[in-house]
Amino acid sequence: MNLAELLDRTGLDALDHLERELSVPVLDGLQAQGDLLVLPLAMLGTITVPTRARWHPVPPEGVELLRGAAGGNPHTLVSDRDTCRWSPAVHDPLGLTIAAFENTAPAFLVHPEHGGSGVAPGRWLVRRQQERGAARSSGPRRVLVAD
């Protein structure tokens, strides 16, 4: 699928500088889109989804997972009907996880500045990225990456 097809199917948009005829890659592993990371759930033993977590189907218009700094552009999870479900009920000791999702067909993250990225079927976590900030007297400071 190319970016134009993905945008047509979802009703979302991307900025004009992105080439709409390029194929959207579908990756089966760790990936990043701006200030988000998508990680296989099995990689992160300290992060769990409670057995009683409520899972929601991803609707046709998608799910906005995160909006950029200062009300900026959204990262939206989209998929074909009945192929993906998501839950914000995730226990993460670092507090970086936004949601978990499970998909039986490729799902996509769409962002106006970054275009689209595909995620192969599996169980995934979507987390914020963090980086080291200026050191304080108590040691290095960690700050969220702002997109």
Side-chain angles (χ1 to χ4, degrees):
M1 173 181 328
N2 65 32
L3 182 58
E5 293 167 328
L6 179 60
L7 297 175
D8 286 345
R9 285 176 51 183
T10 62
L12 298 171
D13 201 8
L15 298 179
D16 290 337
H17 73 276
L18 295 171
E19 178 57 52
R20 294 198 167 21
E21 297 308 314
L22 289 177
S23 293
V24 176
V26 176
L27 303 176
D28 186 14
L30 190 80
Q31 56 184 291
Q33 185 186 76
D35 49 357
L36 291 186
L37 295 173
V38 178
L39 307 135
L41 183 60
M43 281 182 67
L44 304 161
T46 62
I47 299 173
T48 57
V49 180
T51 55
R52 294 181 183 249
R54 188 160 180 236
W55 290 86
H56 310 277
V58 173
E61 66 275 10
V63 175
E64 184 177 306
L65 297 176
L66 177 68
R67 187 165 285 271
N73 294 313
H75 294 270
T76 304
L77 175 66
V78 298
S79 67
D80 290 335
R81 184 178 301 280
D82 299 325
T83 64
C84 187
R85 63 186 192 146
W86 72 285
S87 178
V90 179
H91 174 70
D92 178 357
L94 294 177
L96 296 172
T97 299
I98 295 168
F101 70 92
E102 299 177 333
N103 55 321
T104 56
F108 296 89
L109 282 173
V110 178
H111 186 276
E113 290 176 325
H114 307 300
S117 60
V119 184
R123 296 188 75 194
W124 305 92
L125 284 173
V126 178
R127 295 180 89 188
R128 295 288 309 268
Q129 287 195 63
Q130 67 176 354
E131 61 190 3
R132 285 183 172 226
R136 299 180 290 186
S137 60
S138 60
R141 186 173 64 108
R142 300 204 182 275
V143 295
L144 294 176
V145 173
D147 188 18

